[in-house]
Amino acid sequence: MKAATSVTEQQTSFASRQLSLPPVLPGILLTAAIALAALTIRSLTGLAALSPLIVSIILGMAVRNLVSLPTAVDAGITFSLKRILRVGIVLLGLQVTAMQILSLGGAGLVMVALTLVSTFVAIRIVGRLMGVDRSLTDLIAAGTSVCGASAIIAANTVVRGREEHVAYAVACVTLFGSLAMLTYPLLAAPLGLDARGYGLWSGVTIHEVAQVVAASFQGGDVSGQFGTISKLARVVMLAPLIMTLALAMRSGSGEGARASAPMPWFVFGFIGMMLLNSAITIPADVTAKIVVLTNFLLAMALAAMGLQANIGKLRAEGWRPLALGAFGWLFIATFGLVMLRLFGF
């Protein structure tokens, strides 16, 4: 009798384990739903410059601050923020090839690198002088100098700032990148820029990829192509920037938590995907699907960021980070224009 009861209990226990859902599933479904909503909004509006990453963090913050969420979603939100984010960044490497980057030529690549490094360093210095939180300063610097929201969430794997820091940094690059997107087409003629020069200036200095595309193609196809390629060159430089940040924080002294920052090994996956895309020809329809998947995964990560951001704490950061974002925008625009003249574009 006892043996029969034991067998029954084992069967019941096995069945319950089989029927139980993974603890990360509720949160993953929530971030996926927000990401899908963001992609849908972008599709319905038809605005190419409306990044689903930005829409995702806005929707996530709205849900976080307007709805009482059950604790069951916490594990999945964390999973989206860490694991899914890394997969999205790795897949981002499939959107660029080495030949595209090399097509800029030596002068173009030097211009991209100098503008990126100078902007990042300048924002860090000014942020320290203004008394802005170090993590928030680094995130604004990464988003402004490299590629907007994607760079911010990638840098945060090392910087490990609060969710409010990420949200504030994304808000900065969204605001000032949008201003650049709207004003650059109006400045091309007064500045005497030809199609190639205007495209390079846009790609080297505007924050988000979508914003670069929207602004640069206002100058025609040639301008749009140079803008897109120079922007992709900045995206590629995300990998060495993140590794440099990690090494600097691990070797630094003073802040133990920052000094023990994890090494972002996933950036090697990013580089590997770029090399793979350079070595083989991926069909256009497959590439299009990969782009959608990459945007979806990164949008899930940004949704997770928004779901953990408190608007009250965001307001508490004050005006200084916003002023720092404005400085970064003006600096990269001016420095990029100087480089453009210096290299004769």
Side-chain angles (χ1 to χ4, degrees):
M1 187 70 178
K2 289 182 179 180
T5 302
S6 177
V7 171
T8 302
E9 290 175 348
Q10 290 177 1
Q11 291 174 338
T12 302
S13 176
F14 176 77
S16 64
R17 287 198 301 270
Q18 290 294 95
L19 293 174
S20 65
L21 296 175
V24 298
L25 187 58
I28 289 177
L29 290 176
L30 176 59
T31 57
I34 292 174
L36 182 61
L39 289 169
T40 302
I41 290 172
R42 193 250 185 95
S43 177
L44 291 177
T45 58
L47 297 176
L50 187 61
S51 170
L53 307 188
I54 295 169
V55 176
S56 284
I57 197 170
I58 293 173
L59 293 178
M61 290 176 64
V63 172
R64 162 69 172 81
N65 292 275
L66 297 176
V67 179
S68 179
L69 295 173
T71 57
V73 301
D74 292 346
I77 291 173
T78 301
F79 184 88
S80 297
L81 193 54
K82 294 182 177 179
R83 306 296 181 184
I84 291 179
L85 165 63
R86 286 161 171 76
V87 175
I89 293 173
V90 168
L91 291 179
L92 195 62
L94 289 173
Q95 297 186 27
V96 60
T97 68
M99 290 305 298
Q100 287 176 321
I101 306 306
L102 294 175
S103 68
L104 285 176
L109 290 174
V110 171
M111 175 183 167
V112 171
L114 285 176
T115 304
L116 187 154
V117 173
S118 299
T119 300
F120 188 87
V121 172
I123 292 175
R124 291 191 89 190
I125 293 173
V126 172
R128 303 294 188 266
L129 295 175
M130 292 177 64
V132 178
D133 181 275
R134 292 185 65 180
S135 296
L136 179 52
T137 294
D138 288 345
L139 295 179
I140 293 174
T144 303
S145 62
V146 188
C147 54
S150 299
I152 290 169
I153 56 176
N156 199 53
T157 60
V158 174
V159 173
R160 296 192 292 186
R162 299 197 308 271
E163 287 73 17
E164 290 77 24
H165 289 164
V166 175
Y168 205 123
V170 170
C172 282
V173 301
T174 301
L175 172 62
F176 297 113
S178 297
L179 288 174
M181 176 186 69
L182 295 173
T183 57
Y184 272 38
L186 303 176
L187 295 173
L191 291 174
L193 299 177
D194 60 13
R196 185 188 183 197
Y198 172 68
L200 281 172
W201 185 48
S202 299
V204 171
T205 62
I206 297 180
H207 303 54
E208 286 276 348
V209 174
Q211 294 165 346
V212 169
V213 172
S216 62
F217 273 97
Q218 292 294 315
D221 289 342
V222 172
S223 174
Q225 290 165 5
F226 273 99
T228 303
I229 293 172
S230 56
K231 182 61 178 179
L232 290 176
R234 287 168 69 190
V235 173
V236 169
M237 293 180 187
L238 174 64
L241 173 68
I242 301 305
M243 291 300 296
T244 302
L245 270 176
L247 290 171
M249 291 178 183
R250 287 171 67 89
S251 62
S253 60
E255 291 186 43
R258 288 169 65 89
S260 61
M263 289 301 294
W265 302 112
F266 62 89
V267 299
F268 291 110
F270 171 92
I271 296 172
M273 290 297 101
M274 184 194 73
L275 295 176
L276 175 65
N277 194 31
S278 304
I280 65 174
T281 301
I282 300 177
D285 58 332
V286 175
T287 298
K289 293 175 182 176
I290 292 173
V291 170
V292 173
L293 175 61
T294 303
N295 286 336
F296 180 72
L297 295 177
L298 293 177
M300 286 181 65
L302 264 295
M305 287 284 184
L307 288 168
Q308 293 186 347
N310 186 301
I311 291 180
K313 293 180 179 178
L314 189 63
R315 286 198 299 265
E317 296 293 342
W319 60 270
R320 286 184 176 85
L322 186 64
L324 181 61
F327 163 79
W329 170 44
L330 295 175
F331 180 90
I332 195 171
T334 304
F335 191 91
L337 189 60
V338 170
M339 290 294 99
L340 201 69
R341 303 298 192 195
L342 184 63
F343 285 100
F345 289 111

